[in-house]
Amino acid sequence: NAGVMQNPRHLVRRRGQEARLRCSPMKGHSHVYWYRQLPEEGLKFMVYLQKENIIDESGMPKERFSAEFPKEGPSILRIQQVVRGDSAAYFCASSPRRGGGINEKLFFGSGTQLSVL
Amino acid sequence: GENVEQHPSTLSVQEGDSAVIKCTYSDSASNYFPWYKQELGKRPQLIIDIRSNVGEKKDQRIAVTLNKTAKHFSLHITETQPEDSAVYFCAASPPTRNSGYALNFGKGTSLLVTP
């Protein structure tokens, strides 16, 4: 089992460009979560998705940020018109089922470090 | 929403000593409390977790205690080793939110174990 795969590991963008971060969950996992980590901060929840559905996006900024998890392929976190404040590590996590059950442990990917120049 | 406070932010101990990290949470409905270890530049990894129906759980040198009444939980590492050096995050999970699930993390404790 390859674990949660994120790419790219590092992404450099200039202000105003678009950033696309990809996440492939662990095999057999159908629930994906995106978190943002700022320097010396904890992980902040952004969005929770299942295949083809956004379940909870209460932690995601209303503008410029979007996420999807299509039927085929990885989950994508998209940031349009990036600004310097978007610079952070973005982590994806997956679980086999919705939280609240016995076996809903989250497994994290290695993250994408986004740097906005 | 849930607010998780974690202390201390940094902790330095000598090899062989014990380390204790404490967290408090605000939502009394939270029922799942995992701890993650993150080494520099690496992914957070689950090291131990506890549910609200259990007061204490131990796994070799690591133990977690939960006080539901006081809404706090702690991580205890005994016989620390240099490889325990990392940032440790506590988290709390309220029950379903909008049919979703999201861990709320503390800001982390940077643990340094010196030989």
Short mmCIF file of all heavy atoms in Angstrom, two decimals, chain B residues 20-49:
data_model
loop_
_atom_site.label_atom_id
_atom_site.label_comp_id
_atom_site.label_asym_id
_atom_site.label_seq_id
_atom_site.Cartn_x
_atom_site.Cartn_y
_atom_site.Cartn_z
N VAL B 20 5.92 15.36 29.09
CA VAL B 20 4.47 15.44 29.18
C VAL B 20 3.99 16.65 28.39
O VAL B 20 4.49 17.76 28.57
CB VAL B 20 3.99 15.56 30.64
CG1 VAL B 20 2.45 15.64 30.68
CG2 VAL B 20 4.49 14.39 31.47
N ILE B 21 3.02 16.43 27.54
CA ILE B 21 2.42 17.50 26.74
C ILE B 21 0.92 17.51 27.03
O ILE B 21 0.29 16.45 27.05
CB ILE B 21 2.66 17.27 25.23
CG1 ILE B 21 4.16 17.18 24.94
CG2 ILE B 21 2.02 18.39 24.41
CD1 ILE B 21 4.49 16.73 23.53
N LYS B 22 0.38 18.71 27.27
CA LYS B 22 -1.01 18.82 27.69
C LYS B 22 -1.85 19.59 26.68
O LYS B 22 -1.38 20.56 26.08
CB LYS B 22 -1.08 19.49 29.06
CG LYS B 22 -0.35 18.72 30.15
CD LYS B 22 -0.47 19.40 31.49
CE LYS B 22 0.26 18.58 32.56
NZ LYS B 22 0.15 19.18 33.90
N CYS B 23 -3.08 19.16 26.55
CA CYS B 23 -4.02 19.84 25.65
C CYS B 23 -5.37 19.99 26.32
O CYS B 23 -5.78 19.13 27.11
CB CYS B 23 -4.19 19.06 24.35
SG CYS B 23 -2.74 19.16 23.28
N THR B 24 -6.04 21.08 26.01
CA THR B 24 -7.41 21.27 26.46
C THR B 24 -8.29 21.50 25.24
O THR B 24 -7.81 21.95 24.19
CB THR B 24 -7.55 22.48 27.41
OG1 THR B 24 -7.12 23.66 26.70
CG2 THR B 24 -6.70 22.31 28.65
N TYR B 25 -9.55 21.16 25.37
CA TYR B 25 -10.48 21.36 24.26
C TYR B 25 -11.74 22.03 24.80
O TYR B 25 -12.01 22.01 26.00
CB TYR B 25 -10.80 20.03 23.56
CG TYR B 25 -11.43 18.97 24.43
CD1 TYR B 25 -12.80 18.75 24.43
CD2 TYR B 25 -10.65 18.16 25.25
CE1 TYR B 25 -13.38 17.76 25.21
CE2 TYR B 25 -11.21 17.17 26.03
CZ TYR B 25 -12.57 16.98 26.01
OH TYR B 25 -13.14 16.00 26.81
N SER B 26 -12.50 22.59 23.91
CA SER B 26 -13.64 23.40 24.35
C SER B 26 -14.99 22.72 24.15
O SER B 26 -15.93 22.99 24.91
CB SER B 26 -13.64 24.75 23.61
OG SER B 26 -13.74 24.54 22.21
N ASP B 27 -15.09 21.85 23.14
CA ASP B 27 -16.38 21.24 22.82
C ASP B 27 -16.54 19.93 23.61
O ASP B 27 -15.86 18.95 23.33
CB ASP B 27 -16.44 20.96 21.31
CG ASP B 27 -17.84 20.54 20.85
OD1 ASP B 27 -18.64 20.08 21.69
OD2 ASP B 27 -18.12 20.65 19.65
N SER B 28 -17.43 19.96 24.57
CA SER B 28 -17.62 18.79 25.43
C SER B 28 -18.14 17.58 24.65
O SER B 28 -18.10 16.46 25.13
CB SER B 28 -18.58 19.12 26.58
OG SER B 28 -19.81 19.59 26.07
N ALA B 29 -18.62 17.81 23.43
CA ALA B 29 -19.11 16.70 22.61
C ALA B 29 -18.00 15.98 21.86
O ALA B 29 -18.22 14.93 21.26
CB ALA B 29 -20.15 17.21 21.62
N SER B 30 -16.78 16.53 21.88
CA SER B 30 -15.66 15.86 21.20
C SER B 30 -15.46 14.48 21.77
O SER B 30 -15.55 14.27 22.99
CB SER B 30 -14.38 16.68 21.35
OG SER B 30 -14.46 17.86 20.58
N ASN B 31 -15.18 13.51 20.91
CA ASN B 31 -15.14 12.13 21.39
C ASN B 31 -13.94 11.34 20.89
O ASN B 31 -13.84 10.13 21.14
CB ASN B 31 -16.44 11.41 21.00
CG ASN B 31 -16.68 11.45 19.49
OD1 ASN B 31 -15.83 11.86 18.72
ND2 ASN B 31 -17.87 11.01 19.08
N TYR B 32 -13.03 11.99 20.19
CA TYR B 32 -11.88 11.27 19.66
C TYR B 32 -10.67 12.18 19.74
O TYR B 32 -10.74 13.34 19.28
CB TYR B 32 -12.16 10.83 18.22
CG TYR B 32 -11.00 10.18 17.52
CD1 TYR B 32 -10.44 8.99 17.99
CD2 TYR B 32 -10.46 10.74 16.37
CE1 TYR B 32 -9.38 8.40 17.34
CE2 TYR B 32 -9.39 10.15 15.71
CZ TYR B 32 -8.85 8.98 16.21
OH TYR B 32 -7.79 8.39 15.56
N PHE B 33 -9.56 11.67 20.30
CA PHE B 33 -8.40 12.52 20.60
C PHE B 33 -7.12 11.83 20.15
O PHE B 33 -6.53 11.06 20.91
CB PHE B 33 -8.35 12.83 22.09
CG PHE B 33 -9.65 13.39 22.62
CD1 PHE B 33 -10.62 12.54 23.14
CD2 PHE B 33 -9.90 14.75 22.58
CE1 PHE B 33 -11.83 13.05 23.60
CE2 PHE B 33 -11.11 15.26 23.04
CZ PHE B 33 -12.07 14.41 23.56
N PRO B 34 -6.67 12.10 18.94
CA PRO B 34 -5.43 11.49 18.47
C PRO B 34 -4.23 12.39 18.73
O PRO B 34 -4.36 13.61 18.91
CB PRO B 34 -5.67 11.36 16.95
CG PRO B 34 -6.56 12.50 16.64
CD PRO B 34 -7.40 12.78 17.87
N TRP B 35 -3.05 11.79 18.72
CA TRP B 35 -1.79 12.52 18.80
C TRP B 35 -0.96 12.17 17.57
O TRP B 35 -0.84 11.00 17.20
CB TRP B 35 -1.01 12.14 20.06
CG TRP B 35 -1.59 12.71 21.31
CD1 TRP B 35 -2.58 12.17 22.07
CD2 TRP B 35 -1.21 13.93 21.96
NE1 TRP B 35 -2.85 12.98 23.16
CE2 TRP B 35 -2.01 14.07 23.11
CE3 TRP B 35 -0.26 14.91 21.68
CZ2 TRP B 35 -1.90 15.16 23.98
CZ3 TRP B 35 -0.14 15.99 22.55
CH2 TRP B 35 -0.96 16.11 23.68
N TYR B 36 -0.38 13.21 16.97
CA TYR B 36 0.45 13.02 15.79
C TYR B 36 1.87 13.51 16.06
O TYR B 36 2.08 14.50 16.76
CB TYR B 36 -0.13 13.78 14.59
CG TYR B 36 -1.33 13.11 13.95
CD1 TYR B 36 -2.60 13.26 14.50
CD2 TYR B 36 -1.18 12.33 12.82
CE1 TYR B 36 -3.70 12.63 13.93
CE2 TYR B 36 -2.27 11.70 12.23
CZ TYR B 36 -3.52 11.86 12.79
OH TYR B 36 -4.61 11.24 12.22
N LYS B 37 2.81 12.81 15.47
CA LYS B 37 4.22 13.20 15.54
C LYS B 37 4.66 13.62 14.15
O LYS B 37 4.40 12.92 13.18
CB LYS B 37 5.06 12.00 16.01
CG LYS B 37 6.56 12.22 16.02
CD LYS B 37 7.29 10.93 16.42
CE LYS B 37 8.79 11.12 16.43
NZ LYS B 37 9.51 9.84 16.77
N GLN B 38 5.32 14.79 14.08
CA GLN B 38 5.78 15.27 12.78
C GLN B 38 7.26 15.61 12.86
O GLN B 38 7.65 16.55 13.56
CB GLN B 38 4.97 16.49 12.33
CG GLN B 38 5.32 16.94 10.92
CD GLN B 38 4.48 18.14 10.47
OE1 GLN B 38 4.04 18.94 11.27
NE2 GLN B 38 4.27 18.26 9.17
N GLU B 39 8.05 14.85 12.16
CA GLU B 39 9.48 15.16 12.06
C GLU B 39 9.66 16.22 10.98
O GLU B 39 8.81 16.39 10.10
CB GLU B 39 10.27 13.89 11.77
CG GLU B 39 10.17 12.88 12.91
CD GLU B 39 10.86 11.57 12.61
OE1 GLU B 39 11.47 11.44 11.54
OE2 GLU B 39 10.78 10.66 13.45
N LEU B 40 10.76 16.92 11.05
CA LEU B 40 11.01 18.05 10.18
C LEU B 40 10.87 17.66 8.71
O LEU B 40 11.53 16.74 8.24
CB LEU B 40 12.40 18.62 10.45
CG LEU B 40 12.73 19.95 9.76
CD1 LEU B 40 11.79 21.05 10.26
CD2 LEU B 40 14.18 20.33 9.99
N GLY B 41 10.00 18.37 8.02
CA GLY B 41 9.82 18.14 6.59
C GLY B 41 9.06 16.88 6.23
O GLY B 41 8.99 16.51 5.06
N LYS B 42 8.47 16.24 7.24
CA LYS B 42 7.78 14.98 6.96
C LYS B 42 6.29 15.08 7.30
O LYS B 42 5.81 16.09 7.81
CB LYS B 42 8.43 13.83 7.73
CG LYS B 42 9.87 13.59 7.30
CD LYS B 42 10.40 12.30 7.85
CE LYS B 42 11.79 12.03 7.29
NZ LYS B 42 12.37 10.76 7.81
N ARG B 43 5.58 14.03 6.99
CA ARG B 43 4.14 14.03 7.22
C ARG B 43 3.82 13.80 8.68
O ARG B 43 4.58 13.14 9.39
CB ARG B 43 3.49 12.92 6.38
CG ARG B 43 3.77 11.49 6.89
CD ARG B 43 3.25 10.46 5.94
NE ARG B 43 4.07 10.37 4.73
CZ ARG B 43 3.69 9.75 3.61
NH1 ARG B 43 2.49 9.19 3.55
NH2 ARG B 43 4.48 9.69 2.57
N PRO B 44 2.70 14.30 9.17
CA PRO B 44 2.25 13.94 10.52
C PRO B 44 1.89 12.46 10.56
O PRO B 44 1.22 11.95 9.65
CB PRO B 44 0.99 14.81 10.71
CG PRO B 44 1.08 15.87 9.68
CD PRO B 44 1.80 15.26 8.52
N GLN B 45 2.32 11.81 11.61
CA GLN B 45 2.04 10.37 11.75
C GLN B 45 1.33 10.12 13.06
O GLN B 45 1.77 10.60 14.12
CB GLN B 45 3.33 9.56 11.67
CG GLN B 45 3.94 9.56 10.27
CD GLN B 45 4.99 8.50 10.09
OE1 GLN B 45 5.96 8.48 10.82
NE2 GLN B 45 4.82 7.62 9.12
N LEU B 46 0.27 9.37 12.99
CA LEU B 46 -0.49 9.02 14.18
C LEU B 46 0.33 8.12 15.09
O LEU B 46 0.86 7.11 14.65
CB LEU B 46 -1.79 8.31 13.77
CG LEU B 46 -2.70 7.85 14.90
CD1 LEU B 46 -3.32 9.04 15.60
CD2 LEU B 46 -3.80 6.93 14.35
N ILE B 47 0.45 8.51 16.35
CA ILE B 47 1.23 7.68 17.27
C ILE B 47 0.34 7.02 18.32
O ILE B 47 0.65 5.93 18.79
CB ILE B 47 2.36 8.48 17.96
CG1 ILE B 47 1.82 9.72 18.68
CG2 ILE B 47 3.43 8.86 16.95
CD1 ILE B 47 2.87 10.42 19.54
N ILE B 48 -0.74 7.65 18.70
CA ILE B 48 -1.65 7.06 19.66
C ILE B 48 -2.94 7.86 19.64
O ILE B 48 -2.94 9.04 19.27
CB ILE B 48 -1.03 7.03 21.09
CG1 ILE B 48 -1.82 6.09 22.02
CG2 ILE B 48 -0.94 8.43 21.67
CD1 ILE B 48 -1.09 5.78 23.32
N ASP B 49 -4.03 7.23 19.99
CA ASP B 49 -5.30 7.94 20.05
C ASP B 49 -6.14 7.38 21.19
O ASP B 49 -5.88 6.28 21.69
CB ASP B 49 -6.06 7.89 18.73
CG ASP B 49 -6.31 6.46 18.23
OD1 ASP B 49 -6.10 5.49 19.01
OD2 ASP B 49 -6.70 6.30 17.06
#
